[in-house]
Amino acid sequence: MRLSRLIPSLIAVSAVAACATHAPSPGDALSGASGAPAATPGLDWFMNRDGSEASLAYGVANSDEVKLHLLCQAGTGALEVTASSEKPGREIHLESGGDTERYAATSEPAVVHEGELLTAHAATKDPVFQRFRRLGWIANWADGEREVYVAHPTAKAGIERFFAVCG
């Protein structure tokens, strides 16, 4: 095929493709065809172990900015869940991949930032945490708003290690 005949075809295909594109909408925060939410730059999951205690925190590396914190004693399967909140609350409402759970919580003023810290007790075997373990993301619902905490690919191994340690 001669180049002079190919160019008009490429222009036509390009024009049709340009018309078919759309600006991203707020609901387009899902990554790729998987439907999984996208990780947020600058925020991630960090696993730490100190003796028999293990913790998994979502926030900014090497800072006091933590959105959600999970703590356990090795092998117990029991979790202490702490969530940052703008105002006092009585529950922590978590969701992952369609599984959802509400945990009764206590509230106290945060010391290192404005707002409150909500603390609840949960179990690693709860469906919402098992789904989080598989998918690498969990959402916190507060005041009708959903905040999704997504692991970057390099952090997913830490999530698995945390749940393996906790039991």
Side-chain angles (χ1 to χ4, degrees), residues 46 59-65:
F46 301 95
V60 176
N62 304 314
S63 79
D64 292 329
E65 186 180 334

Side-chain angles (χ1 to χ4, degrees), residues 8-154:
S9 298
L10 290 174
I11 291 171
V13 169
S14 297
V16 170
C19 292
T21 60
H22 68 280
S25 67
D28 287 345
L30 302 180
S31 65
S34 70
T40 303
L43 296 170
D44 209 352
W45 287 98
F46 301 95
M47 193 268 191
N48 190 28
R49 182 145 187 212
D50 186 13
S52 65
E53 189 173 84
S55 68
L56 185 63
Y58 182 82
V60 176
N62 304 314
S63 79
D64 292 329
E65 186 180 334
V66 176
K67 306 277 189 183
L68 188 67
H69 182 256
L70 309 176
L71 181 69
C72 78
Q73 295 296 317
T76 65
L79 294 174
E80 180 181 275
V81 181
T82 304
S84 293
S85 177
E86 292 182 11
K87 58 186 182 181
R90 293 189 196 160
E91 75 175 10
I92 297 174
H93 179 187
L94 300 175
E95 175 242 328
S96 183
D99 285 317
T100 184
E101 194 69 50
R102 295 172 188 264
Y103 298 97
T106 58
S107 182
E108 63 183 287
V111 178
V112 294
H113 58 78
E114 290 185 27
E116 296 281 316
L117 291 178
L118 306 180
T119 303
H121 296 281
T124 58
K125 65 177 174 42
D126 293 348
V128 71
F129 289 111
Q130 289 300 304
R131 185 69 64 103
F132 166 52
R133 182 179 186 176
R134 285 192 306 276
L135 298 177
W137 68 267
I138 195 165
N140 184 23
W141 285 86
D143 300 322
E145 304 256 341
R146 180 179 183 245
E147 238 183 89
V148 184
Y149 309 139
V150 183
H152 290 265
T154 55

Side-chain angles (χ1 to χ4, degrees), residues 1-10:
M1 180 179 269
R2 295 179 63 203
L3 187 59
S4 62
R5 290 178 58 195
L6 183 60
I7 291 175
S9 298
L10 290 174

